[in-house]
């Protein structure tokens, strides 16, 4: 994600879209196996110990911070709505993406993750 944002120039929203588009292509190439390691770990060991929980919270916070930074840039560039904070939008994107990944795995289809990205990055977040 950070590499995409560094190379974004004046199109932070486009960088976020490209990041998720690349993830979707990778998921399709892997025939919807795997998904997100962070999400899998959260589901499997997230509540097994305080150490695991703290480590996963830290990892998700770093991911959220990257998305938040990109969305803040997109707000400054005028492409993303400003009545929601970058934090709120980053949380919504992460939560929706993780749920869409679960549906993708059971449906063996990229439709849920594509819908997640389209609905948020091409509609709900747009100014």
């Amino acid at each position: 994600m950070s590499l995409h944002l560094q190379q974004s120039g004046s199109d932070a929203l486009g960088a976020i879209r490209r990041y998720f588009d690349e993830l979707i292509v990778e998921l399709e190439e892997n025939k919807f196996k795997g998904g997100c390691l962070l999400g899998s770990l959260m589901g499997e060991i997230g509540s097994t110990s305080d150490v695991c929980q703290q480590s996963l919270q830290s990892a998700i916070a770093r991911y959220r911070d990257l998305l938040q930074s990109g969305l803040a840039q997109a707000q400054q560039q005028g492409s993303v709505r400003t009545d929601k904070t970058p934090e709120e939008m980053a949380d919504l994107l992460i939560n929706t993406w993780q749920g869409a990944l679960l549906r993708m795995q059971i449906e063996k289809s990229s439709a849920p993750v594509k819908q997640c990205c389209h609905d948020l990055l091409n509609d709900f977040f747009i100014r």
Side-chain angles (χ1 to χ4, degrees):
M1 168 60 77
S2 61
L3 182 61
H4 285 80
L5 289 173
Q6 290 171 359
Q7 298 173 345
S8 70
S10 62
D11 186 14
L13 182 59
I16 295 169
R17 286 178 180 139
R18 284 187 296 281
Y19 169 76
F20 282 101
D21 286 346
E22 289 176 16
L23 288 178
I24 291 169
V25 167
E26 187 177 318
L27 291 165
E28 289 172 334
E29 288 173 352
N30 291 322
K31 299 188 179 6
F32 316 109
K33 294 179 183 164
C36 174
L37 179 59
L38 185 56
S40 297
L41 288 172
M42 287 188 303
E44 292 294 323
I45 64 169
S47 61
T48 59
S49 75
D50 289 343
V51 172
C52 289
Q53 188 176 26
Q54 290 168 358
S55 294
L56 289 167
Q57 285 174 350
S58 177
I60 203 75
R62 286 190 304 275
Y63 187 49
R64 178 183 176 243
D65 290 347
L66 284 171
L67 285 171
Q68 177 183 322
S69 173
L71 290 164
Q73 286 178 31
Q75 281 181 327
Q76 292 169 354
Q77 294 165 355
S79 58
V80 170
R81 64 192 292 174
T82 56
D83 63 326
K84 300 285 183 191
T85 67
E87 296 89 353
E88 291 171 318
M89 291 185 289
D91 281 339
L92 179 60
L93 182 53
I94 289 169
N95 295 342
T96 307
W97 174 256
Q98 290 300 322
L101 282 172
L102 292 174
R103 282 195 56 204
M104 175 208 71
Q105 289 176 336
I106 63 168
E107 294 176 11
K108 301 290 185 212
S109 168
S110 59
V113 289
K114 286 180 177 179
Q115 180 185 13
C116 163
C117 291
H118 179 270
D119 288 354
L120 294 178
L121 299 174
N122 294 320
D123 186 13
F124 185 73
F125 290 173
I126 302 302
R127 187 167 194 180

